[in-house]
Amino acid sequence: MLAVTVGTPLLQAEQACSLFKALADPIRLQVVEVLSSGERCVCDLGADLGLAQSRLSFHLKVLKQAGLLQDRQQGRWTYYSLRPLALQQLSGWILQRIEHAAKPAAPCG
Amino acid sequence: MLAVTVGTPLLQAEQACSLFKALADPIRLQVVEVLSSGERCVCDLGADLGLAQSRLSFHLKVLKQAGLLQDRQQGRWTYYSLRPLALQQLSGWILQRIEHAAKPAAPCG
DNA sequence: GTTTCACATCAAGAAAACTTGATGCGTGTG
DNA sequence: CACACGCATCAAGTTTTCTTGATGTGAAAC
């Protein structure tokens, strides 16, 4: 068996599910895409994505609660960035599903 | 820049979103876990997971429409299995987000 | 050809997630 | 201190997704 990831703790299905739920929204995916080029403050995110403030705040909260984002407060501004470990773990969970997926079923009847 | 996946076509955000939505449900994640050990017929899946037939059928449809599952009909039975490519592509999309994620923001004000 | 079996599909209701506008709260600014 | 700014939170309404039970369909069994 080939280890897919190195030194990354493995995810339970339940944790994976939380991460998938957090990513299962087009707006949150845009947020992740923007943040994938580096940290941003909320006001920049709102401007970039053209979102009402409360709407963006809602989605940031979902992503943060899932563990996908971290935030840092500096003066009046809050900066969000990705948590690479969470992404890495989720990717690991997915890749693990592939290994024996090709095994054909025993005929049922 | 280090290429994370080799020879796998890249996913658009919209396609990634469909995949995430399909995986954003505990039952569907169980289905994926069971199928990760190989192909199964629907009746076995239903028995393994203890799900009403129509409920299982609904979730299989969601997963299949997203491109995560393929099915094969043989006699009276239908066999489902994972589509490794879809999983691989999704994993690739995730890993791509990590690369520059650590870059700090320019101070906002 | 009728019955049975494995599964898909449908319609109606229930539950969960999302949006919107209003309000609250902490932190700087004058 | 009063005010403005950046952001979080809340409540209400809307939309989406999920569940349930009933019905439909095609393939084998009789």
Side-chain angles (χ1 to χ4, degrees):
Chain A
M1 171 178 148
L2 183 68
V4 187
T5 49
V6 206
T8 351
L10 300 177
L11 239 46
Q12 307 287 103
E14 198 183 333
Q15 308 169 290
C17 193
S18 305
L19 294 172
F20 284 131
K21 275 187 182 166
L23 293 169
D25 179 281
I27 290 180
R28 292 197 290 270
L29 233 48
Q30 285 186 61
V31 170
V32 168
E33 288 202 314
V34 171
L35 292 182
S36 76
S37 68
E39 192 187 44
R40 290 285 163 90
C41 69
V42 177
C43 53
D44 280 2
L45 281 172
D48 282 15
L49 303 177
L51 294 178
Q53 185 268 315
S54 112
R55 197 176 172 193
L56 175 56
S57 201
F58 168 79
H59 288 293
L60 288 172
K61 185 179 183 182
V62 173
L63 287 166
K64 187 187 171 189
Q65 281 185 154
L68 283 161
L69 262 48
Q70 56 200 158
D71 61 344
R72 166 175 77 88
Q73 200 144 2
Q74 184 157 337
R76 309 208 285 200
W77 297 282
T78 306
Y79 297 87
Y80 278 86
S81 57
L82 290 180
R83 290 204 336 114
L85 179 60
L87 291 170
Q88 196 173 328
Q89 289 181 137
L90 190 58
S91 166
W93 187 93
I94 294 174
L95 291 176
Q96 273 203 317
R97 302 302 129 207
I98 299 180
E99 300 180 24
H100 309 95
K103 183 182 168 193
C108 183
Chain B
M1 168 179 148
L2 181 68
V4 188
T5 49
V6 206
T8 352
L10 299 178
L11 240 45
Q12 306 288 101
E14 199 182 334
Q15 312 174 48
C17 193
S18 305
L19 293 173
F20 284 130
K21 276 187 180 165
L23 292 169
D25 178 281
I27 289 179
R28 292 196 290 270
L29 232 49
Q30 286 187 59
V31 169
V32 168
E33 288 203 313
V34 171
L35 292 181
S36 76
S37 67
E39 192 186 43
R40 289 286 164 90
C41 69
V42 178
C43 53
D44 279 2
L45 282 172
D48 282 15
L49 302 176
L51 294 179
Q53 186 268 315
S54 111
R55 197 176 172 194
L56 175 56
S57 200
F58 169 78
H59 289 293
L60 287 172
K61 185 180 183 182
V62 173
L63 287 166
K64 186 186 171 188
Q65 279 184 158
L68 283 162
L69 262 48
Q70 56 199 159
D71 61 345
R72 165 176 79 87
Q73 199 145 2
Q74 184 158 336
R76 309 209 282 202
W77 295 282
T78 306
Y79 296 88
Y80 278 86
S81 58
L82 291 180
R83 289 205 336 115
L85 180 60
L87 291 170
Q88 196 173 329
Q89 288 181 138
L90 189 58
S91 166
W93 187 93
I94 294 174
L95 290 176
Q96 272 203 318
R97 302 304 129 205
I98 300 181
E99 299 179 25
H100 310 93
K103 184 181 169 193
C108 184

